[in-house]
Amino acid sequence: MARPVRRETGNDGAVPVSFPDIPEALTEGATEAEALAEARDCRIAALDGYVDGRRDIPTPSPARDRRPVAFPALVAVKIALYRAMRGRGLSNAALARRLGTVEGTVRRLVDPDHRSHIDQVETALRALGQRRVVVTRAA
């Protein structure tokens, strides 16, 4: 899953970046490369706020002329799990019961900052009738 990023040139020479679909994710860097590196972490932190607040994560908009920035694979799968749960109206506790585990385990599985094992997240996805698909594209 990738999100389009908006880059601008600031008045002081800094490079501010934002994500049109995630208005809370705003950051900048001294160079474009630094700004994009900061944007990756900023975007994950903003999405963590969506999960903590039990809010729907917005669907990515088309990139158009903006550069899409992909999530790390584990974060993308966690977001897919969270969105699948929200789409089915399932709480962490309800999915935990399906998986035969405790609510805290599911809470960590959807936490973008927690270093879960991807196979555990995939198991949870399968319990919801979902699976991970990997797509690669030229850089």
Side-chain angles (χ1 to χ4, degrees):
M1 174 188 309
R3 299 267 173 175
V5 64
R6 182 181 305 132
R7 298 177 309 251
E8 300 172 17
T9 303
N11 295 335
D12 59 357
V15 180
V17 293
S18 61
F19 293 88
D21 308 320
I22 309 169
E24 299 86 351
L26 303 167
T27 191
E28 68 179 21
T31 65
E32 183 173 338
E34 183 181 300
L36 290 173
E38 290 291 328
R40 287 178 182 87
D41 293 337
C42 175
R43 177 187 51 177
I44 292 169
L47 290 178
D48 190 35
Y50 280 80
V51 172
D52 286 347
R54 300 198 185 345
R55 297 169 45 206
D56 288 336
I57 294 176
T59 301
S61 62
R64 296 190 187 109
D65 61 340
R66 299 173 297 212
R67 176 180 176 179
V69 177
F71 285 106
L74 178 60
V75 173
V77 174
K78 285 174 169 268
I79 291 168
L81 174 60
Y82 176 78
R83 292 181 82 192
M85 289 172 61
R86 296 279 298 165
R88 288 168 179 75
L90 282 178
S91 66
N92 292 351
L95 181 56
R97 283 190 295 277
R98 285 188 185 190
L99 296 172
T101 190
V102 296
E103 183 274 338
T105 299
V106 174
R107 187 173 355 105
R108 288 185 293 278
L109 291 178
V110 296
D111 179 350
D113 285 326
H114 188 271
R115 294 187 48 94
S116 305
H117 293 280
I118 198 163
D119 60 326
Q120 293 173 320
V121 184
E122 289 177 324
T123 297
L125 274 172
R126 281 193 302 275
L128 299 177
Q130 302 284 308
R131 65 185 172 94
R132 175 176 60 114
V133 176
V134 176
V135 177
T136 62
R137 294 194 171 96

